[in-house]
Amino acid sequence: MPRPFVAYLRVYEPLSSFAGSLGDLLRAVIEDGAVEHAQAGIREREVWFRSQLTSATLPGELPDGRPAPSSVRDVLVIDPAEVHCEEATVGPGPLVCPMDVRARSAAALMGFLETSTPMLRAAMLSDSPERLRARAAHILGDQPNGSVHIVSTTWTVPLPWFSLVDPAHRHVVVAPRGDPRRQVYWRVAMGDARRRIERAATLAEQTFGDAGPTRVLIDTAAWLENFDDASAVELDYGGLVQLFTDEELLEDTSADDVNGILDAIEASDASEVADRFTKLRDFWAGMAIRERFN
């Protein structure tokens, strides 16, 4: 079975920023062994499947609504040495990213309740929207810093996310398509990511107004403010790497093109902006087609 076709933006905070019982739990998890980076998508799918076999409302919780002990222990860990730093620094290590599956599911439920039609809600939900909304809000309110550590998208990577990273520091592992070791990701210091996205949001607003890519940049920047200044940010293609050939992965210039667009906007070079947008559209068009047929 293929990995879920999901891409991720993750925040890894210093273990020292987690206080009290949560900090103690995370230390124990690290000693016992955290979730392997390459297995993250598979682990999330397992948690979801398990929830479908019980009466649990959300993945990562018990039938009585309490967090499942196993999901609380689902954590990703990296070393500060694995993070590219320009002007900012990260650490001390280890850097920890709780997978927050239950809280992320609650956030998705809130989004569904806000955007779905009454008919669809009636067909899909076993409880009243009001009670589900209250439960989801309670779960999100219990997050230590008020926010989940991971945001994800299916079938594509939002182009504004590439503005957070230095294109030259991409990590690529070419392995068979079904091998979890096949990966593409960037890791950047939080301070550098914030500086980069602030510049991108300013240029985007000047060019496109406050909608579209500007809104994504503003929302992402606001999300990053919830975390420790010495954290790291990771942009990960996740399971999308299964949909590209080896040549496509190695020749992918998406991060270069997005950052090139920002440079071209700053230089008032409309032709360069248009050329870079065309490259991005052509590269990601196949993902849009796959999503449409699924």
Side-chain angles (χ1 to χ4, degrees):
M1 182 182 295
R3 282 181 282 167
F5 301 125
V6 179
Y8 304 91
L9 196 60
R10 301 186 180 100
V11 171
Y12 294 78
E13 294 190 275
L15 178 58
S16 56
S17 67
F18 296 91
S21 60
L22 177 58
D24 294 338
L25 172 62
L26 293 176
R27 290 180 182 87
V29 169
I30 292 171
E31 290 179 4
D32 293 342
V35 176
E36 293 183 15
H37 185 269
Q39 297 289 332
I42 296 172
R43 175 58 183 159
E44 289 181 356
R45 183 175 60 203
E46 289 175 353
V47 173
W48 183 85
F49 278 152
R50 191 174 295 116
S51 73
Q52 303 308 299
L53 299 175
T54 69
S55 57
T57 302
L58 295 174
E61 70 178 17
L62 300 172
D64 62 7
R66 291 180 295 125
S70 58
S71 68
V72 176
R73 301 176 66 87
D74 287 341
V75 175
L76 301 171
V77 179
I78 61 174
D79 189 278
E82 302 174 52
V83 181
H84 173 61
C85 300
E86 296 173 345
E87 300 176 10
T89 59
V90 298
L95 302 176
V96 179
C97 176
M99 293 174 64
D100 296 334
V101 174
R102 179 172 178 254
R104 288 163 57 204
S105 299
L109 177 59
M110 292 280 278
F112 175 78
L113 292 171
E114 293 299 325
T115 59
S116 59
T117 64
M119 184 177 296
L120 182 58
R121 289 196 295 271
M124 297 296 296
L125 302 178
S126 59
D127 203 348
S128 73
E130 292 75 19
R131 281 196 291 268
L132 291 173
R133 187 177 289 107
R135 283 199 62 236
H138 176 74
I139 292 170
L140 292 171
D142 282 344
Q143 287 296 107
N145 53 14
S147 185
V148 296
H149 287 76
I150 303 174
V151 291
S152 60
T153 60
T154 55
W155 297 105
T156 191
V157 176
L159 297 182
W161 285 3
F162 288 108
S163 67
L164 280 75
V165 302
D166 182 340
H169 290 270
R170 180 178 62 156
H171 182 87
V172 183
V173 177
V174 176
R177 291 197 187 193
D179 191 329
R181 292 174 297 175
R182 185 181 181 88
Q183 298 176 77
V184 172
Y185 62 80
W186 292 258
R187 290 170 181 163
V188 59
M190 175 64 78
D192 295 329
R194 287 173 176 164
R195 174 176 49 80
R196 285 175 164 273
I197 202 168
E198 181 179 359
R199 172 192 179 233
T202 299
L203 292 171
E205 187 170 17
Q206 294 171 356
T207 307
F208 308 111
D210 60 2
T214 306
R215 178 46 54 191
V216 174
L217 290 165
I218 291 173
D219 290 345
T220 303
W223 174 64
L224 294 178
E225 290 298 326
N226 290 299
F227 304 102
D228 192 287
D229 293 344
S231 301
V233 181
E234 177 184 75
L235 171 56
D236 181 9
Y237 275 23
L240 299 188
V241 295
Q242 301 164 107
L243 303 175
F244 295 108
T245 65
D246 293 353
E247 292 74 20
E248 287 171 331
L249 286 182
L250 293 172
E251 296 173 6
D252 172 24
T253 59
S254 296
D256 296 272
D257 291 328
V258 169
N259 284 274
I261 286 171
L262 296 173
D263 292 340
I265 290 174
E266 212 163 36
S268 301
D269 188 342
S271 177
E272 179 71 5
V273 171
D275 289 345
R276 296 273 192 172
F277 265 125
T278 298
K279 285 183 65 178
L280 288 164
R281 181 195 62 203
D282 292 346
F283 182 79
W284 291 99
M287 295 293 112
I289 292 172
R290 290 175 185 270
E291 181 178 17
R292 189 176 307 122
F293 283 105
N294 281 271

